[in-house]
Amino acid sequence: MKKLLVLSTALSGFGLAASAQEIAVMSWGGAYATSQIEAYHKPFTAETGIKVVNVDADNPAAPIKAQVEAGNVTIDVVDLEYADAVRLCDEGLLEVLDPAILAPGTDGTAAMDDFLPGAVTDCFVATIVFSTNYAYDSTKFPENPPTTIADFFDTATYPGKRGMRKGAKVNLEMALMADGVPADEVYALLETPEGVERAFAKLDTIKGDMIWWEAGAQPPQLLADGEVVMSTGYNGRFFSAAVTEGKPFVQVFDGQVYEYDGYAIPKGAPNMEAALQFLTYATTTQALADQAKWIAYGPARVSSGPLVGLFMDGKTEMGPNMPTNAANLTNALPSSYEFWVDRDTELNERFNAWLASN
């Protein structure tokens, strides 16, 4: 049984003195980091006096793994995808958290009853539900626009370059759904050699039209620069580009893959008490609702939902733009962290070999 990490000082309030006056929080950059800075960092500093330094990474899991294994940890709190958090926790690279530190909902609901199912694990507390879906430049397809995941792979009807994340995760799932596999059968099929072959065969059909991206800010930029006519990406990034920058991007949620993302503390974080204070503060009902006013990701607490209203422009309803909106879930796939924890290395090796082949 892993020993639970507990505060050395009771968290009866967020204004308690902490040993550190500054913490480093690693996240994904761009519009997503902005939403965290506005909803979490600034109010936390105002309440506690502890400065929060934001550190960007293309995928925080890789640098955190390297820091902990090297015994040179400089990050106090890290934002991770769910499967990465479970994997790093299993490897002993994250601190085990006591769920007792999590604040109850503003309606009095106990935290563990208020978070969505599975959103809190040994080392991880979810903050958002995000989606990988795709968007297209509406000026390229003024008539008969794409509406399904199959259309993303249809370069005959919808010619032009595509953008996809450079890796196996999500791409294999989308490839199978585009090939006609029902969402609820995708992972059972991917567990077989035949399913993996079928997914790569579908990816083969657009390999020559592909531009690969690695950072979350890249897909909207690829679309804006005209390098691609469609790209997969994170729904919140596409929303921000369309609403705050006026880009002619339209999102397609058919075939989306959605999952949790949230906070963890690297093993050996230098400012542990302040890190725990921040994690507790950032996962409160109000903080999660406030983040959803800045970017179109659904909060991971039930009590936060009713508090989410308009975007910061004061006129755009956030609800219809959330991946968890009922209309966006008609052909959607919840990402299986169990599948990817077990098969991430194997399938990414296969993906890289496929990428290098002619």
Side-chain angles (χ1 to χ4, degrees):
M1 189 75 178
K2 295 178 179 177
K3 184 179 179 182
L4 292 177
L5 182 64
V6 295
L7 282 173
S8 58
T9 305
L11 278 172
S12 57
F14 296 116
L16 296 176
S19 57
Q21 294 305 306
E22 180 175 296
I23 59 171
V25 177
M26 179 175 282
S27 187
W28 300 75
Y32 182 53
T34 297
S35 72
Q36 294 174 313
I37 291 167
E38 297 295 335
Y40 308 154
H41 300 194
K42 289 181 179 179
F44 175 74
T45 297
E47 185 128 352
T48 66
I50 301 171
K51 181 181 178 182
V52 181
V53 177
N54 183 71
V55 181
D56 292 341
D58 289 348
N59 183 347
I64 290 303
K65 180 179 174 67
Q67 284 192 14
V68 177
E69 290 181 342
N72 183 27
V73 180
T74 60
I75 300 299
D76 297 295
V77 180
V78 58
D79 188 280
L80 296 169
E81 292 181 359
Y82 195 79
D84 285 334
V86 173
R87 177 174 53 83
L88 294 180
C89 186
D90 288 347
E91 294 174 6
L93 303 178
L94 301 176
E95 296 286 356
V96 177
L97 303 171
D98 183 353
I101 70 170
L102 301 175
T106 50
D107 59 1
T109 303
M112 294 303 287
D113 295 326
D114 192 35
F115 277 92
L116 296 173
V120 179
T121 70
D122 285 352
C123 305
F124 170 86
V125 182
T127 55
I128 62 164
V129 179
F130 78 98
S131 164
T132 301
N133 63 340
Y134 80 89
Y136 64 90
D137 182 340
S138 62
T139 66
K140 307 296 184 185
F141 308 109
E143 299 179 5
N144 185 33
T147 58
T148 69
I149 188 62
D151 293 339
F152 184 86
F153 286 78
D154 184 358
T155 54
T157 306
Y158 304 101
K161 293 287 187 180
R162 270 47 170 178
M164 289 187 98
R165 186 178 178 181
K166 192 176 183 181
K169 185 181 175 187
V170 175
N171 292 344
L172 298 183
E173 292 98 316
M174 285 185 166
L176 288 182
M177 286 188 282
D179 205 39
V181 178
D184 60 1
E185 297 177 17
V186 165
Y187 286 113
L189 188 57
L190 269 182
E191 289 176 350
T192 68
E194 294 78 14
V196 172
E197 290 298 330
R198 183 172 171 181
F200 276 105
K202 188 65 175 179
L203 288 172
D204 273 334
T205 65
I206 57 172
K207 186 177 182 182
D209 295 297
M210 193 61 62
I211 292 179
W212 302 102
W213 58 268
E214 297 183 72
Q218 288 178 270
Q221 194 62 53
L222 289 170
L223 284 168
D225 292 344
E227 292 189 51
V228 300
V229 297
M230 303 181 196
S231 182
T232 64
Y234 305 128
N235 76 284
R237 304 292 186 121
F238 291 137
F239 171 86
S240 294
V243 175
T244 66
E245 300 171 31
K247 301 298 183 184
F249 303 159
V250 177
Q251 296 193 64
V252 176
F253 281 95
D254 183 78
Q256 67 158 317
V257 181
Y258 62 93
E259 60 187 295
Y260 292 132
D261 187 277
Y263 282 133
I265 297 177
K267 191 76 172 178
N271 301 297
M272 193 68 66
E273 186 174 331
L276 284 162
Q277 281 187 277
F278 175 82
L279 187 147
T280 301
Y281 182 92
T283 57
T284 57
T285 295
Q286 190 62 57
L288 298 190
D290 287 344
Q291 185 185 15
K293 296 174 184 177
W294 287 91
I295 197 164
Y297 296 138
R301 293 185 78 139
V302 174
S303 61
S304 300
L307 303 181
V308 178
L310 299 177
F311 182 56
M312 299 309 295
D313 63 1
K315 58 185 180 181
T316 304
E317 286 283 351
M318 294 303 287
N321 294 287
M322 296 292 183
T324 49
N325 183 271
N328 298 333
L329 290 172
T330 53
N331 184 37
L333 176 66
S335 180
S336 171
Y337 81 89
E338 295 100 336
F339 178 89
W340 284 107
V341 166
D342 291 341
R343 293 174 174 82
D344 184 82
T345 300
E346 166 197 341
L347 288 177
N348 273 299
E349 287 176 355
R350 172 70 188 275
F351 179 87
N352 290 332
W354 170 81
L355 203 60
S357 64
N358 293 327

